[in-house]
Structures are given as structure tokens and as C-alpha cells.
Amino acid sequence: MSNIEQTLSIIKPDAVERNLDQQIKTIFKNKGFKILKEKKLRLEKSEAEQFYKVHETKPFYNDLCEYLSSGTIVVMVLEKENAIKSNRNLMGATDPSKAEEGTIRRQFGKSIDKNSVHGSDSLENAKIEIDFFFKTS
Ligand code: CMP
């Protein structure tokens, strides 16, 4: 049975500032993801805090929000069979030094913070994250 899902992907400031966004989008397309929606923007720190609210109690929360709001990002809605898991496999481990060969974070990530991409970790969070950036009403 098919299980087409949508997930939210962010190309983070470290990757956009190195002009890697087109290259990363090509990787997604070559892996069979459809880019249904896309925009380039910069978040206010308060918006980053809202986006990463699930990490609010973590020691790295403040730095994480400072970082995500430090520069331009590209946000996309990606669609594919099992998109959430498939995207997480393609991104690789959160820490680029632990990510497998052939993953986006292994190829482009600079550190656990500057790890080039974000992807939703569950169907529930994908809906929340897609609404955060693309809800029209
Ligand atoms: P991301 O997938 O965007 O979700 C939360 C982010 O927190 C994660 O990628 C990392 O960039 C960042 N982060 C910083 N420190 C840690 C840590 N110790 N464990 C997990 N994530 C971390």
C-alpha cells in the first residue's frame, strides 16, 4: 500500500550562505521528492523560538534559535512515499561527524548546530511545521 507523506525541510543559514540551496534541492529531486511549496526567508528570533518550541527545555535551545534566525533559510514542503523517514535517512545523523557517507549532513554539515538541513521527525510534527510556514488563513 502506498504511503505518500509530506514533510517540512529547511535549508539552514550555513548552507544558504554557502549558496548550497540549489545543490541540496537537486539532491532531494534526484531522490524522488517533489517540492510542493518553497520559500526563502529570514526568521525573527521569536519566530525561531516558536518553531523549535519542542526543544524549549534543552540546554542548546537559545543558541539554536539564535542560529536559525541568523540568516536566510529556504523552507520546503517535500512529498514522497514515506517522506518523513526517507528525508531523515537522506539528511543523516544530527551531528554531521556521525552521519553516514552519502547523506546531506555528512556532505555539507559543519557542526551539530550548523548541520545544513532540518527535517520533520514525525507525521504530527510535519503537519505542525508545514502549517507554521505555509498556513494561509
Ligand atoms: P534539527 O533537526 O534542526 O533539530 C534541532 C536542532 O538542534 C538539531 O537539528 C541541531 O542542529 C540542534 N542541536 C544542537 N545541539 C544539539 C544536541 N546536543 N542534540 C540534538 N540537537 C542539537
Side-chain angles (χ1 to χ4, degrees), residues 78-93:
L78 302 181
E79 185 178 82
K80 193 188 167 186
E81 179 89 15
N82 301 317
I84 291 155
K85 182 128 202 302
S86 182
N87 183 32
R88 291 182 72 78
N89 289 342
L90 180 57
M91 290 192 300

Side-chain angles (χ1 to χ4, degrees), residues 10 12 51-52 54-55 58-61 63-64 67-68 88 91 94-95 105 111-120:
I10 303 180
K12 295 188 182 184
F51 178 76
Y52 275 134
V54 289
H55 295 300
K58 309 270 175 61
F60 55 82
Y61 179 62
D63 286 349
L64 175 62
Y67 169 61
L68 192 72
R88 291 182 72 78
M91 290 192 300
T94 309
D95 182 346
R105 284 167 168 164
S111 66
I112 194 161
D113 299 300
K114 297 182 176 173
N115 62 357
S116 302
V117 281
H118 166 85
S120 311

Side-chain angles (χ1 to χ4, degrees), residues 69-80:
S69 58
S70 70
T72 304
I73 59 174
V74 175
V75 294
M76 296 170 288
V77 177
L78 302 181
E79 185 178 82
K80 193 188 167 186

Side-chain angles (χ1 to χ4, degrees), residues 3 26 52 82 93 100:
N3 183 43
T26 300
Y52 275 134
N82 301 317
E100 278 180 46

